[in-house]
Amino acid sequence: MLTLKQLETFVQVVELGTFEKASQRLNATQSTVSKRISELEQATGLHIFDRSLRNARLTEEGEQLLELAYLTIDSANKIRELNKQPESKLHRIRIGFTELTALTWLPGFLREYTLERPDIRLDVTIDMSRTLYQQFQDGELDLVVIPLVPEVFAQPGVETLLLEKVEMAFMARAGLVDGPRPLPISKLESYTLISQGKRSGFAQDVNRWISHQGMASPVQITDNLLALVGLVTAGRGISVLPKLCVQRFAQTQDLEILETLPQPPTIGYYALYHSGIRVSLLEEVALRLGKAADFTRPFFV
């Protein structure tokens, strides 16, 4: 059987040049050193030393083994050091966020949390919620912050925590939509409806609600939230958007909130994370996310 002690003895013999010097360095008998080298040769099936010479000289096979022995010993030393490091230094969490989070409270959270917990490394992914959820299911992400999708309820081993509910509202370029407020939904049917695509969680919820109101499906689609706001501001149509966030970063004279009957539903943003051996750590991060979550304030305003 190949052992680490055999490899360490082998390296000492090579570095010191003789079995005798190696035995002194290792505080072992010369016969013990010889036995370990013989066992190493038997375990590997290699002829390591040319014993026809007085000093221990490596064969070609021995040279190849020496390189691997150094790598193996170095890895073993790193493993031994693990218990000397604080456990918290080992934490790495792969976490996914949507564009709305990235535009609002995420930069502030990352700045503060990095100072609070330098022992935790957050590997951040920004993408559409459906893509993030698929990566979460595939085990590529440990935690995601997305609008909750119905499939979550049927998936075992997933914990959920509501972070915040986002108020949604119809929005249009100022002056585009006439009529007394609040507007019946039927009054909006003549306007072009712009939305994010199917990979957006909140867009799916909103479009499902719009369909239930008897309105036609969105005509224009863009997955970029800022581009969507730009199209609405340019008067290309109307859209259901995160009310307070968009209101704050869009020029008030260019964009108008359309009060309607009924109002669009609020969208809940949840932290989803896997239960298991790291559930307490992920729960701690999720709770901290809940304290930071504020979808009403763009970070750049």
Side-chain angles (χ1 to χ4, degrees):
M1 180 178 66
L2 181 63
T3 67
L4 187 61
K5 192 173 290 293
Q6 294 166 3
L7 293 175
E8 290 172 335
T9 301
F10 166 54
V11 168
Q12 289 299 318
V13 171
V14 173
E15 290 182 347
L16 298 175
T18 67
F19 283 43
E20 180 183 0
K21 291 180 180 179
S23 65
Q24 293 172 357
R25 173 71 63 82
L26 296 169
N27 195 25
T29 65
Q30 194 167 337
S31 61
T32 298
V33 171
S34 296
K35 181 182 178 183
R36 289 176 185 170
I37 297 301
S38 295
E39 291 173 344
L40 178 60
E41 289 181 320
Q42 291 174 7
T44 60
L46 302 175
H47 182 57
I48 299 172
F49 288 108
D50 184 351
R51 289 180 172 80
S52 65
L53 303 172
R54 181 176 179 183
N55 291 338
R57 182 172 296 178
L58 289 173
T59 64
E60 185 176 343
E61 291 179 332
E63 293 282 359
Q64 295 174 348
L65 178 62
L66 180 63
E67 183 178 350
L68 295 174
Y70 277 123
L71 292 173
T72 303
I73 293 170
D74 182 61
S75 297
N77 289 334
K78 289 178 181 179
I79 292 172
R80 291 186 181 119
E81 291 296 319
L82 290 179
N83 67 346
K84 298 179 182 179
Q85 301 178 19
E87 183 183 354
S88 58
K89 287 187 178 179
L90 308 177
H91 297 318
R92 171 177 174 255
I93 300 177
R94 302 163 301 171
I95 186 167
F97 300 94
T98 62
E99 185 182 15
L100 181 60
T101 307
L103 289 173
T104 51
W105 55 273
L106 179 59
F109 166 78
L110 292 176
R111 182 174 57 250
E112 294 174 8
Y113 195 71
T114 299
L115 296 175
E116 293 173 15
R117 295 296 303 269
D119 53 306
I120 295 179
R121 169 183 162 185
L122 297 180
D123 292 346
V124 175
T125 297
I126 308 296
D127 212 321
M128 305 296 289
S129 56
R130 283 286 174 176
T131 302
L132 294 175
Y133 180 63
Q134 186 60 57
Q135 293 175 335
F136 175 76
Q137 283 187 304
D138 294 341
E140 298 172 12
L141 294 174
D142 303 306
L143 186 153
V144 292
V145 174
I146 59 175
L148 194 62
V149 291
E151 297 94 305
V152 171
F153 294 109
Q155 184 178 350
V158 175
E159 305 290 336
T160 64
L161 176 69
L162 175 63
L163 302 184
E164 189 172 70
K165 290 186 177 181
V166 178
E167 185 179 2
M168 309 295 288
F170 277 100
M171 305 188 84
R173 180 179 176 84
L176 179 68
V177 179
D178 296 325
R181 307 299 194 258
L183 289 162
I185 290 294
S186 58
K187 295 292 185 180
L188 299 178
E189 293 181 356
S190 60
Y191 296 92
T192 300
L193 186 60
I194 311 172
S195 174
Q196 287 190 305
K198 293 181 179 179
R199 293 191 301 135
S200 166
F202 85 68
Q204 280 205 319
D205 286 346
V206 168
N207 292 344
R208 191 179 301 114
W209 175 82
I210 285 174
S211 177
H212 290 164
Q213 307 308 311
M215 293 182 64
S217 299
V219 174
Q220 296 188 36
I221 302 293
T222 174
D223 280 341
N224 185 290
L225 182 59
L226 288 178
L228 194 159
V229 175
L231 290 173
V232 174
T233 304
R236 301 298 299 176
I238 63 175
S239 184
V240 177
L241 296 166
K243 180 178 178 180
L244 295 179
C245 172
V246 173
Q247 185 181 35
R248 282 181 167 138
F249 74 69
Q251 296 180 5
T252 54
Q253 67 268 28
D254 288 339
L255 210 59
E256 178 186 7
I257 294 174
L258 305 176
E259 298 296 336
T260 61
L261 283 176
Q263 290 277 15
T266 58
I267 304 297
Y269 273 75
Y270 290 77
L272 277 58
Y273 54 96
H274 295 289
S275 58
I277 58 174
R278 296 206 303 166
V279 64
S280 59
L281 174 62
L282 295 175
E283 182 180 30
E284 175 189 327
V285 174
L287 290 171
R288 181 62 181 79
L289 290 169
K291 292 180 180 179
D294 181 359
F295 292 92
T296 68
R297 299 181 180 277
F299 77 90
F300 49 84
V301 175

